[in-house]
């Protein structure tokens, strides 16, 4: 059977900040069109692992491959690689001095070097996909948190990445705004986007994830289909974590 | 009261020296304009250079900035005008004044721009870099526009404060407004030319303060 090339392959990732070892040899493999969900208590290293995938954090050791290309190798043009990895942040990080359209089209114009008209058409398309075509001229401060996060998603998908990384995309949102962002993520998933999601949205994980990783203290403790991890967790730590999360 | 009016608002004296004051006005305006443009540009250039974090370059920038912030502008102008000829550099008073004030304005504004650059949220860098934008592109398109907007009030403030020092050019015989006013004052034995000069300064700097207010509101964004 031919091996399908994983979109993301992070192997034996170690990451230390000073004396603090945040990742202690973590492996993460994501197949095309797969949605991998990473859960775990805060400080477990899940965000750091995600940030190692596009080298926003440089792993202390280990290899990260994106569609087979070792991006941790010397001489790799990281800006080239990052065009293929979309990222969505907890705090949205929209550019406050630009309209929604400006936010989405900036990288198209300055990284992909598309002419303004072409970039803006493409950006408008991306905004349409997140249901915000009518907000193209709005500035981030004129948008709700949920809308801002959807613009941030549009900014990432406009680059047509091979994989999307979501770093707690709904954690900064008021509860009533979470739904709109999850809806967009569900749509993305349906369209076949490969996704890695760090989040506490357990119900979303159950519904949408192909695989769930539970991380604790810098290691992957348990991984499997959501039914298994949520329904019949094998490890004590997983059980304890899920109990504490479901407790409230 | 008549004495006061005669001393400060003598119409005859004013009329007589008005043409010369106007000549001086243009010199002051031109010098101020040059200082604003070159000082703000040079300061921004230094801040951009500093963002690249080269230790040697940064040490040089910090030395330059601290030096020109510490020295009184008058000292810089005098040293430039009377000192540089000893090392074979002979520049006109106008050029010395322009260069001196440019360096002073650049030194102060570099610190302001730099404070703006460092106060831009780290998330902005990460978001831009994650889309494939390089360091320079991120600095230029994402960070600097925000840094400048944030620092417009201190920038305009400092710009006005430094640019007013064009009057110091009078000590190196630049025929700017204050020089002319002082000469006229001596000839006429009457202070009215100084009144004209004061009016001239208001004419230059009052619109500048209003312009800076307009810029502040124009480029502010809701937070």
């Amino acid at each position: 059977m031919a091996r399908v090339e994983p979109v993301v392959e992070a192997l034996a990732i170690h990451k230390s900040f000073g004396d603090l070892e945040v990742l202690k040899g973590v492996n993460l493999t994501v197949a095309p069109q797969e949605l991998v969900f990473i859960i775990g208590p805060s400080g477990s290293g899940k965000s750091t692992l995600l940030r190692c995938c596009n080298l926003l954090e440089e792993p202390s050791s280990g290899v990260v491959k994106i569609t087979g290309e070792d991006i941790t190798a010397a001489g790799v043009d990281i800006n080239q690689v990052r065009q293929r990895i979309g990222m969505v942040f907890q705090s949205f990080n929209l550019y406050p001095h630009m309209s929604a359209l400006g936010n989405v089209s900036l990288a198209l114009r300055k990284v992909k070097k598309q002419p303004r008209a072409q970039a803006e058409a493409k950006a408008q398309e991306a905004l349409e996909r997140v249901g915000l075509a009518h907000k193209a001229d709005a500035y981030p401060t004129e948008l709700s948190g949920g809308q801002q996060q959807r613009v941030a998603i549009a900014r990432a998908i406009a680059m047509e990445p091979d994989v999307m990384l979501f770093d707690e995309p709904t954690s900064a949102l008021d509860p009533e705004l979470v739904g709109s962002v999850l809806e967009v993520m569900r749509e993305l998933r349906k369209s076949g986007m490969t996704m890695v999601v760090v989040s506490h949205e357990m119900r979303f994980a159950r519904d949408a994830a192909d695989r769930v990783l539970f991380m604790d203290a810098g290691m992957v403790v348990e991984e499997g289909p959501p039914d298994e991890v949520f329904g019949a967790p094998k490890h004590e730590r997983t059980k304890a974590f899920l109990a504490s999360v479901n407790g409230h | 009261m008549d004495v006061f009016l005669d001393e400060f608002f003598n119409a005859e004296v004013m009329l007589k020296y008005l043409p010369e004051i106007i000549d001086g006005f243009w010199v002051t305006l031109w010098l101020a304009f040059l200082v604003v443009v070159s000082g703000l540009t040079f300061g921004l250039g230094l801040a951009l250079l500093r963002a690249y974090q080269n230790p040697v370059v940064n040490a040089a920038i910090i030395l330059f900035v601290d030096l020109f912030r510490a020295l009184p502008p008058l000292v810089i102008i005098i040293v430039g005008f009377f000192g540089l000829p000893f090392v074979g550099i002979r520049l006109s008073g106008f050029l010395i004044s322009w260069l001196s004030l440019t360096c002073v304005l650049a030194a102060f504004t570099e610190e302001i721009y730099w404070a703006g650059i460092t106060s831009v949220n780290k998330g902005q860098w990460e978001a831009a870099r994650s889309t494939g934008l390089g360091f320079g592109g991120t600095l230029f398109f994402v960070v600097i526009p925000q840094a400048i907007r944030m620092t417009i009030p201190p920038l305009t403030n400092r710009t006005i404060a430094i640019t007013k020092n064009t009057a110091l050019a009078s000590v190196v015989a630049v025929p700017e407004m204050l020089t002319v006013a002082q000469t006229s004052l001596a000839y006429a034995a009457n202070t009215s030319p100084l009144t004209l000069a004061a009016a001239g300064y208001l004419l230059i700097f009052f619109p500048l303060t209003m312009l800076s207010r307009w810029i502040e509101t124009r480029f502010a964004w809701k937070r």
Side-chain angles (χ1 to χ4, degrees):
Chain A
M1 197 172 100
R3 180 173 177 267
V4 181
E5 185 81 73
V7 180
V8 179
E9 207 172 8
L11 301 170
I13 302 296
H14 287 259
K15 175 68 186 178
S16 300
F17 295 103
D19 290 337
L20 185 68
E21 196 177 19
V22 179
L23 295 177
K24 301 168 183 168
V26 178
N27 296 313
L28 171 69
T29 307
V30 186
Q33 310 210 339
E34 195 181 18
L35 193 163
V36 174
F37 219 90
I38 306 176
I39 60 172
S42 85
S44 57
K46 51 196 194 310
S47 281
T48 307
L49 174 62
L50 197 69
R51 292 159 58 84
C52 281
C53 293
N54 66 352
L55 300 196
L56 277 187
E57 300 296 352
E58 197 90 31
S60 306
S61 69
V63 172
V64 179
K65 290 183 185 173
I66 299 295
T67 57
E69 182 189 354
D70 181 356
I71 67 168
T72 39
V76 170
D77 179 357
I78 190 60
N79 295 328
Q80 194 66 38
V81 175
R82 281 179 180 151
Q83 294 178 44
R84 302 194 275 125
I85 313 171
M87 186 157 198
V88 174
F89 301 84
Q90 179 176 355
S91 50
F92 328 135
N93 298 346
L94 292 182
Y95 315 134
H97 59 299
M98 291 182 190
S99 66
L101 195 69
N103 267 275
V104 180
S105 60
L106 180 71
L108 295 170
R109 287 170 54 208
K110 302 302 175 188
V111 180
K112 294 208 167 180
K113 310 285 183 202
Q114 295 178 0
R116 182 186 276 267
Q118 187 190 341
E120 290 187 345
K122 182 97 201 153
Q124 189 64 40
E125 221 174 90
L127 284 172
E128 201 142 337
R129 280 187 72 186
V130 300
L132 289 173
H134 61 295
K135 292 288 188 187
D137 295 328
Y139 282 78
T141 47
E142 299 167 334
L143 300 170
S144 73
Q147 290 172 330
Q148 288 190 51
Q149 192 60 297
R150 282 148 67 197
V151 172
I153 293 173
R155 176 171 66 183
I157 60 176
M159 297 293 283
E160 299 180 331
D162 295 329
V163 56
M164 287 277 288
L165 311 176
F166 291 85
D167 189 3
E168 306 207 18
T170 57
S171 298
L173 294 176
D174 291 334
E176 76 270 22
L177 301 175
V178 169
S180 66
V181 171
L182 294 184
E183 193 48 47
V184 166
M185 291 170 68
R186 228 168 272 199
E187 282 300 317
L188 263 184
R189 159 119 192 84
K190 256 188 236 163
S191 73
M193 177 63 77
T194 308
M195 295 158 73
V196 185
V197 182
V198 168
S199 169
H200 296 290
E201 299 292 337
M202 299 300 166
R203 191 178 304 169
F204 180 71
R206 261 178 191 262
D207 292 353
D210 295 299
R211 198 146 50 86
V212 176
L213 264 69
F214 172 68
M215 283 184 70
D216 191 20
M219 286 184 292
V220 176
V221 175
E222 183 163 355
E223 79 174 277
D227 288 344
E228 272 177 34
V229 175
F230 290 115
K234 292 188 196 73
H235 286 76
E236 283 310 315
R237 278 189 282 174
T238 318
K239 283 178 196 166
F241 174 72
L242 290 173
S244 76
V245 170
N246 292 332
H248 28 136
Chain B
M1 190 62 189
D2 279 353
V3 179
F4 172 78
L5 284 181
D6 183 62
E7 188 62 28
F8 285 94
F9 295 94
N10 187 315
E12 199 187 323
V13 173
M14 279 185 171
L15 219 57
K16 184 173 174 199
Y17 291 100
L18 186 63
E20 280 155 61
I21 299 278
I22 289 175
D23 288 344
F25 173 87
W26 291 118
V27 175
T28 294
L29 187 64
W30 180 228
L31 181 57
F33 173 77
L34 288 178
V35 167
V36 169
V37 171
S38 57
L40 288 176
T41 312
F42 187 26
L44 180 60
L46 288 177
L48 286 172
L49 213 54
R50 190 169 171 187
Y52 282 86
Q53 307 274 18
N54 178 306
V56 180
V57 173
N58 280 16
I61 291 173
I62 290 167
L63 180 69
F64 171 87
V65 164
D66 286 354
L67 195 69
F68 279 93
R69 289 196 304 164
L71 288 170
L74 182 59
V75 173
I76 300 168
I77 291 172
I78 291 174
V79 168
F81 190 71
F82 296 105
L84 284 182
F86 286 105
V87 290
I89 304 170
R90 198 172 296 275
L91 302 174
S92 73
F94 185 88
L95 215 51
I96 289 288
S97 304
W98 174 31
L99 290 177
S100 302
L101 294 179
T102 294
C103 288
V104 174
L105 184 57
F108 276 102
T109 53
E110 187 280 332
E111 282 297 296
I112 296 171
Y113 289 121
W114 179 246
I117 290 172
T118 52
S119 65
V120 169
N121 196 297
K122 189 165 140 272
Q124 294 288 312
W125 283 98
E126 292 184 345
R129 296 304 305 269
S130 78
T131 63
L133 212 56
F135 179 87
T138 302
L139 186 64
F140 200 76
F141 298 115
V142 175
V143 175
I144 285 291
Q146 295 183 51
I148 290 181
R149 273 175 173 82
M150 267 190 283
T151 53
I152 279 174
L155 273 179
T156 52
N157 222 357
R158 192 47 80 171
T159 301
I160 293 166
I162 305 279
T163 311
K164 280 195 291 197
N165 286 325
T166 49
L168 295 176
S170 59
V171 298
V172 289
V174 176
E176 52 78 57
M177 200 157 45
L178 186 66
T179 314
V180 177
Q182 280 176 322
T183 318
S184 311
L185 180 153
Y187 278 124
N190 183 292
T191 1
S192 299
L194 215 51
T195 310
L196 281 179
Y201 279 112
L202 281 181
L203 214 57
I204 293 174
F205 288 102
F206 207 62
L208 196 57
T209 55
M210 290 198 298
L211 179 70
S212 71
R213 260 182 220 292
W214 179 79
I215 293 172
E216 281 164 32
T217 43
R218 168 71 180 73
F219 289 105
W221 71 84
K222 284 170 270 161
R223 285 182 165 271

